[in-house]
């Protein structure tokens, strides 16, 4: 069973507009775009490989559409 956590996130208006435009251009929902950007950022920083709380071999992938190809 997948587990999800809901959070309330406050964004500055200009950042929200930027993310919404990027999501639209990438044909993703805003939620999927934010998940994608977090995933890319964590992979680039190597954070998920060195985090003691995350076992990258067994952790579930982020949900949502992570590529920009049409569904």
């Amino acid at each position: 069973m997948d587990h999800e956590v809901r959070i309330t996130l406050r964004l500055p208006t200009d950042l929200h507009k930027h993310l919404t435009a990027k999501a639209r251009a990438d044909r993703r929902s805003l939620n999927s775009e934010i998940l994608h950007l977090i995933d890319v950022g964590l992979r680039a920083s190597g954070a998920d490989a060195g985090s003691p709380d995350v076992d990258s071999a067994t952790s579930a992938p982020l949900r949502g559409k992570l590529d920009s190809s049409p569904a």
Side-chain angles (χ1 to χ4, degrees):
M1 175 180 206
D2 289 344
H3 291 84
E4 293 181 349
V5 176
R6 287 182 174 250
I7 64 168
T8 299
L9 179 65
R10 292 180 185 91
L11 298 173
T13 303
D14 57 336
L15 179 58
H16 180 266
K17 287 179 183 178
H18 178 78
L19 288 169
T20 301
K22 184 155 176 35
R24 189 177 301 116
D26 291 341
R27 299 181 61 155
R28 294 186 182 110
S29 68
L30 179 58
N31 188 77
S32 291
E33 185 68 26
I34 292 169
L35 289 176
H36 170 73
L37 293 170
I38 291 170
D39 186 48
V40 168
L42 289 174
R43 289 177 194 270
S45 71
D48 50 321
S51 174
D53 296 328
V54 176
D55 179 2
S56 61
T58 60
S59 63
L62 295 175
R63 294 183 66 195
K65 185 177 172 188
L66 296 180
D67 63 65
S68 59
S69 61

